[in-house]
Amino acid sequence: QEDSSGDLRHDNEVAVLKVWVQIARCLRAEALPHLNPVVAALFRLLSIDVRASPEQLSRLEAEKDDEDDEDDEDDDIEMVETADGNWVAIRCSAVEEQSAACKLTLLLVEALQEHMYVH
């Protein structure tokens, strides 16, 4: 099931990136010519906006109005207080995707070591 934020697409992309990182860990420097799209995809995932859209917030508020104060475990949006005391709505799935991209980037850098850096 895919919503307007493209979560399914991102989930599939993370799965493919995991495979590519495993390949790179095995092939090391030999994988370098094939990694440009992998690195680009990792950076794209790291750059996704984790804030909830106004449409998602409206839908969340409508769903909460329809409920009798029951917690919905499927809610993807959480309210987080910032350091300056403001509140921001974030999409948990986007944060999870960014976390996965960070871990995969770390694994890729560890596997390729000095080959990862452009001189």
Side-chain angles (χ1 to χ4, degrees):
Q1 181 179 6
E2 183 174 0
D3 63 17
S4 62
S5 64
D7 288 337
L8 180 60
R9 182 177 52 83
H10 288 299
D11 290 344
N12 290 338
E13 191 171 21
V14 169
V16 170
L17 289 171
K18 286 180 182 179
V19 172
W20 268 108
V21 169
Q22 291 300 321
I23 291 169
R25 291 177 77 187
C26 294
L27 297 178
R28 299 197 183 269
E30 294 176 19
L32 285 173
H34 310 287
L35 291 181
N36 282 342
V38 174
V39 172
L42 285 170
F43 287 151
R44 188 173 48 256
L45 281 175
L46 290 169
S47 301
I48 60 175
D49 191 4
V50 299
R51 294 173 293 175
S53 70
E55 296 83 20
Q56 290 170 318
L57 287 174
S58 297
R59 189 173 59 232
L60 179 66
E61 289 173 5
E63 289 172 2
K64 288 199 185 273
D65 289 343
D66 292 341
E67 295 175 357
D68 298 325
D69 293 331
E70 293 179 17
D71 288 334
D72 186 6
E73 294 178 10
D74 295 331
D75 281 352
D76 183 47
I77 298 172
E78 291 290 331
M79 297 298 292
V80 177
E81 186 173 10
T82 61
D84 60 0
N86 292 322
W87 288 85
V88 66
I90 61 165
R91 293 181 302 117
C92 297
S93 60
V95 173
E96 291 168 1
E97 290 162 3
Q98 285 186 338
S99 174
C102 284
K103 291 174 186 174
L104 291 171
T105 302
L106 175 64
L107 289 173
L108 191 59
V109 171
E110 286 178 344
L112 297 176
Q113 297 176 9
E114 69 275 0
H115 301 291
M116 188 71 179
Y117 304 103
V118 178
H119 299 282

